[in-house]
Amino acid sequence: MSFDSSWEENIYSQKKHINRYPYGELVSIFFNSLQFLATQARDREDIKVLEIGSGTGNNLWFIAQEGFKTYGIDGSRSACKIANELCEARNVKVNIQQAYFDNLPFDDESMDIIIDREATYCGTLSDIKLWWQEANRVLKKGGLIISFKFSDTNPDLVKIKEGLLKAQEVEANTYKNIESGSFHNTGIVHFSTYDELFDLFSFCDIKLINANTSTTLYDTSNAQYNYAEWIIVGVKK
Ligand SMILES: C[S@@+](CC[C@H](N)C(=O)[O-])C[C@H]1O[C@@H](n2cnc3c(N)ncnc32)[C@H](O)[C@@H]1O
């Protein structure tokens, strides 16, 4: 178990990271990727979707509302509680429980789709490899993975490497105690290289890798809406 308690203490018990709407990119990638799903499940109510690191359920409620059989796990008890309450308030049926990436409470080959919306970056590269082995265990053959991973061109990593943002190096492209910005107070952060993705997702036939970046040129709100991430879609071989 390598869950950093900062998520519980600094984020979710403070009721942070609660969004009203799902991440826009996830919505379009999710529906565009359904064409690749090669398991037997055809009807939405038979397609089991698991989000690992589901947080406060920002993305799960809408997948449930669209008629899929929806599951989520997160290491933070507070996040799971908030997610369950918000889904109940929206009257959508989800199955969210507290658990860790390295021990998913599901049978082998039981899920059709596994989503990771910026969750499996919270560890060292060897942690992340183990987490995806575990995700692979619960994914059906022909099942889909949709993973969003902060990339090594992320503006915060660039600032760290240029000495403009203080952080403690754990290993290559992996830092903790990031002094400010969106990774502040959230434990270990790993930024993935493009090449690394092929090793991490070697159990998949990779269908898409998208370099998704957001660069704000003019901003009066100081929202820090700058990021760079890979979006990976793959089908389990
Ligand atoms: C950036 S948040 C993303 C939350 C959600 N996917 C979203 O899009 O709103 C990362 C999530 O991963 C969870 N997490 C980090 N390490 C974990 C671990 N080892 N096991 C389970 N959950 C973990 C955190 O609690 C947090 O909710």
Side-chain angles (χ1 to χ4, degrees):
M1 197 271 286
S2 43
F3 175 66
D4 194 298
S5 58
S6 318
W7 283 103
E8 180 62 38
E9 287 155 21
N10 302 329
I11 307 294
Y12 296 121
S13 64
Q14 316 285 322
K15 298 210 174 344
K16 292 181 183 163
H17 289 202
I18 303 174
N19 298 349
R20 184 171 174 84
Y21 300 108
Y23 284 85
E25 293 86 354
L26 176 60
V27 176
S28 49
I29 290 278
F30 180 81
F31 285 103
N32 283 329
S33 304
L34 285 175
Q35 60 179 307
F36 300 123
L37 183 64
T39 60
Q40 304 230 303
R42 281 288 151 261
D43 297 331
R44 287 189 179 187
E45 73 240 34
D46 298 328
I47 298 176
K48 290 186 175 176
V49 181
L50 166 65
E51 183 178 4
I52 51 175
S54 47
T56 56
N58 292 332
N59 313 306
L60 271 185
W61 67 266
F62 109 91
I63 294 173
Q65 199 171 66
E66 285 293 318
F68 296 88
K69 208 161 189 187
T70 309
Y71 300 80
I73 68 99
D74 199 283
S76 160
R77 266 180 212 291
S78 300
C80 295
K81 185 169 179 282
I82 296 168
N84 277 315
E85 285 167 3
L86 291 177
C87 286
E88 205 180 314
R90 290 180 194 266
N91 212 11
V92 289
K93 201 168 175 292
V94 292
N95 204 311
I96 297 173
Q97 52 184 309
Q98 194 273 342
Y100 301 112
F101 297 149
D102 55 6
N103 189 13
L104 299 173
F106 304 104
D107 291 340
D108 294 359
E109 308 206 358
S110 53
M111 293 291 158
D112 295 281
I113 302 177
I114 294 185
I115 296 174
D116 155 37
R117 211 295 311 174
E118 292 303 0
T120 67
Y121 70 87
C122 306
T124 62
L125 187 53
S126 57
D127 291 332
I128 297 168
K129 282 184 182 167
L130 282 176
W131 297 343
W132 276 103
Q133 277 172 23
E134 175 65 355
N136 181 21
R137 179 186 69 73
V138 306
L139 186 64
K140 293 179 191 170
K141 198 164 177 243
L144 268 185
I145 58 123
I146 302 174
S147 177
F148 287 56
K149 305 197 72 51
F150 290 116
S151 79
D152 58 344
T153 59
N154 194 286
D156 282 26
L157 179 63
V158 173
K159 279 195 219 157
I160 291 170
K161 288 191 169 173
E162 287 174 352
L164 301 173
L165 178 58
K166 280 206 187 111
Q168 199 179 332
E169 187 172 19
V170 176
E171 60 181 32
N173 293 329
T174 312
Y175 292 84
K176 63 181 182 181
N177 299 331
I178 299 178
E179 195 180 36
S180 61
S182 42
F183 300 110
H184 179 57
N185 266 343
T186 61
I188 295 185
V189 177
H190 176 76
F191 299 89
S192 292
T193 65
Y194 179 75
D195 289 346
E196 195 179 291
L197 302 176
F198 293 89
D199 181 35
L200 201 55
F201 299 110
S202 58
F203 62 93
C204 285
D205 178 11
I206 295 181
K207 297 291 186 187
L208 169 112
I209 300 180
N210 176 256
N212 185 38
T213 61
S214 167
T215 309
T216 305
L217 299 180
Y218 181 83
D219 178 15
T220 57
S221 70
N222 196 22
Q224 301 181 340
Y225 200 62
N226 291 314
Y227 60 83
E229 65 186 1
W230 307 115
I231 305 177
I232 306 104
V233 176
V235 177
K236 180 169 167 176
K237 293 187 229 175

